[in-house]
PDB file of all heavy atoms in Angstrom:
ATOM      1  N   GLN A 203      99.684  16.238 -11.234  1.00  0.00           N
ATOM      2  CA  GLN A 203      98.830  17.134 -11.907  1.00  0.00           C
ATOM      3  C   GLN A 203      99.437  18.514 -12.180  1.00  0.00           C
ATOM      4  O   GLN A 203      99.451  18.988 -13.367  1.00  0.00           O
ATOM      5  CB  GLN A 203      97.513  17.417 -11.182  1.00  0.00           C
ATOM      6  CG  GLN A 203      96.588  18.328 -11.771  1.00  0.00           C
ATOM      7  CD  GLN A 203      95.341  18.685 -10.824  1.00  0.00           C
ATOM      8  OE1 GLN A 203      95.069  17.928  -9.904  1.00  0.00           O
ATOM      9  NE2 GLN A 203      94.799  19.828 -11.019  1.00  0.00           N
ATOM     10  N   VAL A 204     100.045  19.123 -11.173  1.00  0.00           N
ATOM     11  CA  VAL A 204     100.564  20.379 -11.230  1.00  0.00           C
ATOM     12  C   VAL A 204     101.934  20.324 -12.033  1.00  0.00           C
ATOM     13  O   VAL A 204     102.190  21.259 -12.982  1.00  0.00           O
ATOM     14  CB  VAL A 204     100.811  21.047  -9.904  1.00  0.00           C
ATOM     15  CG1 VAL A 204     101.497  22.424 -10.029  1.00  0.00           C
ATOM     16  CG2 VAL A 204      99.606  21.157  -9.060  1.00  0.00           C
ATOM     17  N   ALA A 205     102.652  19.242 -11.906  1.00  0.00           N
ATOM     18  CA  ALA A 205     104.042  19.049 -12.568  1.00  0.00           C
ATOM     19  C   ALA A 205     103.715  18.987 -14.100  1.00  0.00           C
ATOM     20  O   ALA A 205     104.491  19.508 -14.943  1.00  0.00           O
ATOM     21  CB  ALA A 205     104.678  17.872 -12.026  1.00  0.00           C
ATOM     22  N   ALA A 206     102.584  18.243 -14.475  1.00  0.00           N
ATOM     23  CA  ALA A 206     102.356  18.123 -15.906  1.00  0.00           C
ATOM     24  C   ALA A 206     102.020  19.384 -16.506  1.00  0.00           C
ATOM     25  O   ALA A 206     102.388  19.714 -17.691  1.00  0.00           O
ATOM     26  CB  ALA A 206     101.120  17.125 -16.103  1.00  0.00           C
ATOM     27  N   ALA A 207     101.360  20.266 -15.837  1.00  0.00           N
ATOM     28  CA  ALA A 207     100.995  21.661 -16.328  1.00  0.00           C
ATOM     29  C   ALA A 207     102.254  22.533 -16.490  1.00  0.00           C
ATOM     30  O   ALA A 207     102.359  23.332 -17.305  1.00  0.00           O
ATOM     31  CB  ALA A 207     100.091  22.379 -15.405  1.00  0.00           C
ATOM     32  N   LEU A 208     103.297  22.331 -15.687  1.00  0.00           N
ATOM     33  CA  LEU A 208     104.541  22.956 -15.638  1.00  0.00           C
ATOM     34  C   LEU A 208     105.592  22.270 -16.621  1.00  0.00           C
ATOM     35  O   LEU A 208     106.686  22.879 -16.793  1.00  0.00           O
ATOM     36  CB  LEU A 208     105.111  23.174 -14.293  1.00  0.00           C
ATOM     37  CG  LEU A 208     104.309  24.021 -13.340  1.00  0.00           C
ATOM     38  CD1 LEU A 208     104.935  23.997 -11.885  1.00  0.00           C
ATOM     39  CD2 LEU A 208     104.234  25.542 -13.851  1.00  0.00           C
ATOM     40  N   GLY A 209     105.234  21.114 -17.093  1.00  0.00           N
ATOM     41  CA  GLY A 209     106.210  20.389 -17.878  1.00  0.00           C
ATOM     42  C   GLY A 209     107.416  19.799 -17.082  1.00  0.00           C
ATOM     43  O   GLY A 209     108.480  19.703 -17.552  1.00  0.00           O
ATOM     44  N   ALA A 210     107.102  19.557 -15.844  1.00  0.00           N
ATOM     45  CA  ALA A 210     108.164  19.005 -14.892  1.00  0.00           C
ATOM     46  C   ALA A 210     108.029  17.434 -14.761  1.00  0.00           C
ATOM     47  O   ALA A 210     107.109  16.937 -14.802  1.00  0.00           O
ATOM     48  CB  ALA A 210     108.060  19.693 -13.521  1.00  0.00           C
ATOM     49  N   GLU A 211     109.286  16.904 -14.475  1.00  0.00           N
ATOM     50  CA  GLU A 211     109.305  15.429 -14.247  1.00  0.00           C
ATOM     51  C   GLU A 211     109.150  15.133 -12.790  1.00  0.00           C
ATOM     52  O   GLU A 211     109.651  15.881 -11.887  1.00  0.00           O
ATOM     53  CB  GLU A 211     110.612  14.876 -14.710  1.00  0.00           C
ATOM     54  CG  GLU A 211     110.862  13.491 -14.452  1.00  0.00           C
ATOM     55  CD  GLU A 211     112.174  12.889 -14.816  1.00  0.00           C
ATOM     56  OE1 GLU A 211     113.062  13.691 -15.294  1.00  0.00           O
ATOM     57  OE2 GLU A 211     112.485  11.741 -14.537  1.00  0.00           O
ATOM     58  N   VAL A 212     108.249  14.151 -12.473  1.00  0.00           N
ATOM     59  CA  VAL A 212     107.961  13.714 -11.107  1.00  0.00           C
ATOM     60  C   VAL A 212     108.938  12.667 -10.648  1.00  0.00           C
ATOM     61  O   VAL A 212     109.124  11.588 -11.373  1.00  0.00           O
ATOM     62  CB  VAL A 212     106.518  13.359 -10.877  1.00  0.00           C
ATOM     63  CG1 VAL A 212     106.236  12.885  -9.486  1.00  0.00           C
ATOM     64  CG2 VAL A 212     105.602  14.550 -11.278  1.00  0.00           C
ATOM     65  N   LYS A 213     109.580  12.771  -9.541  1.00  0.00           N
ATOM     66  CA  LYS A 213     110.502  11.794  -8.927  1.00  0.00           C
ATOM     67  C   LYS A 213     109.831  11.190  -7.610  1.00  0.00           C
ATOM     68  O   LYS A 213     109.394  11.979  -6.884  1.00  0.00           O
ATOM     69  CB  LYS A 213     111.875  12.347  -8.598  1.00  0.00           C
ATOM     70  CG  LYS A 213     112.517  12.879  -9.827  1.00  0.00           C
ATOM     71  CD  LYS A 213     114.010  13.477  -9.561  1.00  0.00           C
ATOM     72  CE  LYS A 213     114.674  14.067 -10.723  1.00  0.00           C
ATOM     73  NZ  LYS A 213     115.956  14.519 -10.524  1.00  0.00           N
ATOM     74  N   LEU A 214     109.795   9.889  -7.664  1.00  0.00           N
ATOM     75  CA  LEU A 214     109.173   9.224  -6.472  1.00  0.00           C
ATOM     76  C   LEU A 214     110.238   8.470  -5.714  1.00  0.00           C
ATOM     77  O   LEU A 214     111.174   7.916  -6.193  1.00  0.00           O
ATOM     78  CB  LEU A 214     108.009   8.188  -7.054  1.00  0.00           C
ATOM     79  CG  LEU A 214     106.929   8.821  -7.760  1.00  0.00           C
ATOM     80  CD1 LEU A 214     106.028   7.712  -8.323  1.00  0.00           C
ATOM     81  CD2 LEU A 214     106.067   9.792  -6.952  1.00  0.00           C
ATOM     82  N   HIS A 215     110.064   8.524  -4.372  1.00  0.00           N
ATOM     83  CA  HIS A 215     110.849   7.579  -3.521  1.00  0.00           C
ATOM     84  C   HIS A 215     110.041   7.307  -2.393  1.00  0.00           C
ATOM     85  O   HIS A 215     109.137   7.978  -1.911  1.00  0.00           O
ATOM     86  CB  HIS A 215     112.152   8.277  -3.216  1.00  0.00           C
ATOM     87  CG  HIS A 215     111.978   9.487  -2.256  1.00  0.00           C
ATOM     88  ND1 HIS A 215     111.711  10.742  -2.806  1.00  0.00           N
ATOM     89  CD2 HIS A 215     112.004   9.590  -0.925  1.00  0.00           C
ATOM     90  CE1 HIS A 215     111.655  11.531  -1.823  1.00  0.00           C
ATOM     91  NE2 HIS A 215     111.819  10.923  -0.683  1.00  0.00           N
ATOM     92  N   ARG A 216     110.283   6.042  -1.748  1.00  0.00           N
ATOM     93  CA  ARG A 216     109.558   5.506  -0.599  1.00  0.00           C
ATOM     94  C   ARG A 216     110.477   5.387   0.536  1.00  0.00           C
ATOM     95  O   ARG A 216     111.672   5.004   0.464  1.00  0.00           O
ATOM     96  CB  ARG A 216     108.965   4.167  -1.047  1.00  0.00           C
ATOM     97  CG  ARG A 216     107.869   4.275  -2.086  1.00  0.00           C
ATOM     98  CD  ARG A 216     107.241   2.882  -2.418  1.00  0.00           C
ATOM     99  NE  ARG A 216     106.163   3.005  -3.335  1.00  0.00           N
ATOM    100  CZ  ARG A 216     105.350   2.039  -3.789  1.00  0.00           C
ATOM    101  NH1 ARG A 216     105.696   0.793  -3.442  1.00  0.00           N
ATOM    102  NH2 ARG A 216     104.478   2.248  -4.624  1.00  0.00           N
ATOM    103  N   SER A 217     109.902   5.795   1.688  1.00  0.00           N
ATOM    104  CA  SER A 217     110.724   5.606   2.944  1.00  0.00           C
ATOM    105  C   SER A 217     110.646   4.149   3.360  1.00  0.00           C
ATOM    106  O   SER A 217     109.892   3.263   2.841  1.00  0.00           O
ATOM    107  CB  SER A 217     109.999   6.447   3.986  1.00  0.00           C
ATOM    108  OG  SER A 217     108.714   6.022   4.274  1.00  0.00           O
ATOM    109  N   GLU A 218     111.455   3.856   4.280  1.00  0.00           N
ATOM    110  CA  GLU A 218     111.538   2.423   4.784  1.00  0.00           C
ATOM    111  C   GLU A 218     110.306   2.066   5.568  1.00  0.00           C
ATOM    112  O   GLU A 218     109.642   2.995   6.170  1.00  0.00           O
ATOM    113  CB  GLU A 218     112.717   2.237   5.855  1.00  0.00           C
ATOM    114  CG  GLU A 218     114.106   2.337   5.021  1.00  0.00           C
ATOM    115  CD  GLU A 218     115.161   1.936   6.076  1.00  0.00           C
ATOM    116  OE1 GLU A 218     114.913   1.599   7.093  1.00  0.00           O
ATOM    117  OE2 GLU A 218     116.348   2.042   5.624  1.00  0.00           O
ATOM    118  N   ALA A 219     109.812   0.826   5.480  1.00  0.00           N
ATOM    119  CA  ALA A 219     108.528   0.461   6.003  1.00  0.00           C
ATOM    120  C   ALA A 219     108.858   0.094   7.513  1.00  0.00           C
ATOM    121  O   ALA A 219     109.641  -0.721   7.955  1.00  0.00           O
ATOM    122  CB  ALA A 219     108.030  -0.865   5.379  1.00  0.00           C
ATOM    123  N   ARG A 220     108.271   0.965   8.444  1.00  0.00           N
ATOM    124  CA  ARG A 220     108.466   0.743   9.726  1.00  0.00           C
ATOM    125  C   ARG A 220     107.132   0.798  10.569  1.00  0.00           C
ATOM    126  O   ARG A 220     106.270   1.659  10.155  1.00  0.00           O
ATOM    127  CB  ARG A 220     109.430   1.827  10.337  1.00  0.00           C
ATOM    128  CG  ARG A 220     110.775   1.819   9.821  1.00  0.00           C
ATOM    129  CD  ARG A 220     111.604   2.879  10.479  1.00  0.00           C
ATOM    130  NE  ARG A 220     113.065   2.874  10.011  1.00  0.00           N
ATOM    131  CZ  ARG A 220     113.990   3.734  10.298  1.00  0.00           C
ATOM    132  NH1 ARG A 220     113.666   4.709  11.160  1.00  0.00           N
ATOM    133  NH2 ARG A 220     115.247   3.571   9.896  1.00  0.00           N
ATOM    134  N   TYR A 221     106.977   0.015  11.515  1.00  0.00           N
ATOM    135  CA  TYR A 221     105.724  -0.136  12.312  1.00  0.00           C
ATOM    136  C   TYR A 221     104.528  -0.283  11.415  1.00  0.00           C
ATOM    137  O   TYR A 221     103.480   0.235  11.733  1.00  0.00           O
ATOM    138  CB  TYR A 221     105.621   1.131  13.141  1.00  0.00           C
ATOM    139  CG  TYR A 221     106.858   1.529  13.995  1.00  0.00           C
ATOM    140  CD1 TYR A 221     107.643   2.573  13.654  1.00  0.00           C
ATOM    141  CD2 TYR A 221     107.274   0.722  14.991  1.00  0.00           C
ATOM    142  CE1 TYR A 221     108.706   2.978  14.324  1.00  0.00           C
ATOM    143  CE2 TYR A 221     108.412   1.038  15.762  1.00  0.00           C
ATOM    144  CZ  TYR A 221     109.135   2.112  15.426  1.00  0.00           C
ATOM    145  OH  TYR A 221     110.310   2.486  16.069  1.00  0.00           O
ATOM    146  N   GLY A 222     104.693  -1.051  10.321  1.00  0.00           N
ATOM    147  CA  GLY A 222     103.562  -1.345   9.486  1.00  0.00           C
ATOM    148  C   GLY A 222     103.126  -0.280   8.488  1.00  0.00           C
ATOM    149  O   GLY A 222     102.157  -0.362   7.895  1.00  0.00           O
ATOM    150  N   THR A 223     103.882   0.898   8.470  1.00  0.00           N
ATOM    151  CA  THR A 223     103.437   1.993   7.560  1.00  0.00           C
ATOM    152  C   THR A 223     104.671   2.409   6.744  1.00  0.00           C
ATOM    153  O   THR A 223     105.845   2.264   7.188  1.00  0.00           O
ATOM    154  CB  THR A 223     102.881   3.200   8.226  1.00  0.00           C
ATOM    155  OG1 THR A 223     103.881   3.687   9.171  1.00  0.00           O
ATOM    156  CG2 THR A 223     101.629   2.730   8.968  1.00  0.00           C
ATOM    157  N   ALA A 224     104.511   2.989   5.576  1.00  0.00           N
ATOM    158  CA  ALA A 224     105.520   3.646   4.786  1.00  0.00           C
ATOM    159  C   ALA A 224     104.934   4.766   3.957  1.00  0.00           C
ATOM    160  O   ALA A 224     103.729   4.775   3.676  1.00  0.00           O
ATOM    161  CB  ALA A 224     106.144   2.586   3.844  1.00  0.00           C
ATOM    162  N   ILE A 225     105.811   5.622   3.562  1.00  0.00           N
ATOM    163  CA  ILE A 225     105.427   6.903   2.927  1.00  0.00           C
ATOM    164  C   ILE A 225     105.993   6.919   1.510  1.00  0.00           C
ATOM    165  O   ILE A 225     107.256   6.558   1.370  1.00  0.00           O
ATOM    166  CB  ILE A 225     105.749   8.181   3.615  1.00  0.00           C
ATOM    167  CG1 ILE A 225     105.140   8.109   5.142  1.00  0.00           C
ATOM    168  CG2 ILE A 225     105.295   9.371   2.889  1.00  0.00           C
ATOM    169  CD1 ILE A 225     103.641   8.076   5.105  1.00  0.00           C
ATOM    170  N   GLU A 226     105.219   7.382   0.512  1.00  0.00           N
ATOM    171  CA  GLU A 226     105.705   7.559  -0.815  1.00  0.00           C
ATOM    172  C   GLU A 226     105.697   8.999  -1.079  1.00  0.00           C
ATOM    173  O   GLU A 226     104.726   9.744  -0.987  1.00  0.00           O
ATOM    174  CB  GLU A 226     104.800   6.893  -1.942  1.00  0.00           C
ATOM    175  CG  GLU A 226     105.454   7.147  -3.259  1.00  0.00           C
ATOM    176  CD  GLU A 226     104.596   6.394  -4.365  1.00  0.00           C
ATOM    177  OE1 GLU A 226     103.392   6.729  -4.496  1.00  0.00           O
ATOM    178  OE2 GLU A 226     105.156   5.495  -4.962  1.00  0.00           O
TER     179      GLU A 226
END
Side-chain angles (χ1 to χ4, degrees):
Q203 173 190 340
V204 180
L208 294 173
E211 179 185 357
V212 177
K213 298 180 180 179
L214 300 175
H215 66 276
R216 294 179 173 181
S217 64
E218 291 187 2
R220 295 181 179 179
Y221 309 109
T223 61
I225 303 296
E226 181 176 63

